[in-house]
């Protein structure tokens, strides 16, 4: 489970990095996404891709809540071992630290994966909106140029 969540985090990081690279302009991304829009629309009608995104987001949210609960549990156990009347041995303290570290790591991995999923969704929406606005601007510019040409004649 954690391997797949970590893999998703790595894929999201690479994809977002590619989207934000200054070497690849937003015009290029707009053309790429415009050429793939028919495929997305077809898959969305056939498989409801948007629905799968929100299901994945919901599952990650549940996993995030679960990891938070687990982290709080290990923090409480560690605190109980520190404040307990009976001393615990060094091995138990090290095991507490290890469990707490793993649970914190899992919280960070799932939380960052959730956050990047929303960021990528928003960045893609902004790039597509920018592409549409550029197209509208070009069309309006052509109309104005045509009207100016008519006035000159």
């Amino acid at each position: 489970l954690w391997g797949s969540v970590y893999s998703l985090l790595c894929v999201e990081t690479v994809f977002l990095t590619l989207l934000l690279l200054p070497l690849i302009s937003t015009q290029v991304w707009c053309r790429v996404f415009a050429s793939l829009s028919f495929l997305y629309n077809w898959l969305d009608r056939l498989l409801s891709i948007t629905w799968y995104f929100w299901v994945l987001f919901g599952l990650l949210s549940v996993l995030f809540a679960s990891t938070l609960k687990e982290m709080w549990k290990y923090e409480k156990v560690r605190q109980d071992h520190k404040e307990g009347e009976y001393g615990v041995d060094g091995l138990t303290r090290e095991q507490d630290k290890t469990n707490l570290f793993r649970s914190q790591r899992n919280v960070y991995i799932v939380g960052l994966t959730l956050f990047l999923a929303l960021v990528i969704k928003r960045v893609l929406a902004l790039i597509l909106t920018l592409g549409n606005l550029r197209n509208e601007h070009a069309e309006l510019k052509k109309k104005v140029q045509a009207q100016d040409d008519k006035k000159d004649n």
Side-chain angles (χ1 to χ4, degrees):
L1 176 68
W2 295 112
S4 60
V5 173
Y6 182 70
S7 298
L8 180 61
L9 175 63
C10 291
V11 167
E12 286 178 343
T13 304
V14 167
F15 185 62
L16 188 61
T17 303
L18 285 174
L19 285 176
L20 297 178
L21 276 178
L23 299 173
I24 305 172
S25 70
T26 55
Q27 291 175 341
V28 172
W29 284 118
C30 289
R31 278 187 257 141
V32 168
F33 293 137
S35 66
L36 294 176
S37 66
F38 76 93
L39 180 64
Y40 173 78
N41 291 334
W42 178 72
L43 286 174
D44 197 31
R45 280 193 311 270
L46 186 67
L47 301 173
S48 299
I49 291 176
T50 306
W51 182 81
Y52 284 113
F53 170 79
W54 289 113
V55 167
L56 178 66
F57 187 81
L59 290 174
L60 286 172
S61 298
V62 168
L63 193 58
F64 182 69
S66 173
T67 58
L68 276 177
K69 181 181 173 189
E70 183 180 348
M71 184 182 71
W72 293 332
K73 176 182 80 172
Y74 286 127
E75 283 177 350
K76 183 170 178 3
V77 167
R78 187 167 182 227
Q79 193 65 27
D80 289 346
H81 284 168
K82 276 185 180 178
E83 295 174 355
E85 296 176 14
Y86 308 107
V88 294
D89 61 344
L91 185 61
T92 304
R93 282 190 299 253
E94 288 302 315
Q95 187 66 33
D96 290 345
K97 288 179 187 177
T98 303
N99 289 337
L100 184 60
F101 169 77
R102 286 181 181 152
S103 63
Q104 288 171 341
R105 177 201 60 195
N106 294 342
V107 166
Y108 293 136
I109 288 173
V110 175
L112 191 57
T113 303
L114 274 172
F115 176 72
L116 285 182
L118 291 178
V119 168
I120 288 172
K121 185 170 176 36
R122 182 65 180 154
V123 166
L124 285 175
L126 289 173
I127 287 174
L128 292 174
T129 303
L130 180 63
N132 291 337
L133 288 175
R134 281 185 177 154
N135 291 340
E136 288 176 15
H137 177 70
E139 289 174 12
L140 288 174
K141 204 172 185 180
K142 287 179 185 176
K143 286 181 183 178
V144 168
Q145 187 68 27
Q147 288 178 353
D148 286 346
D149 291 344
K150 285 182 182 179
K151 285 182 184 178
D152 291 343
N153 292 334

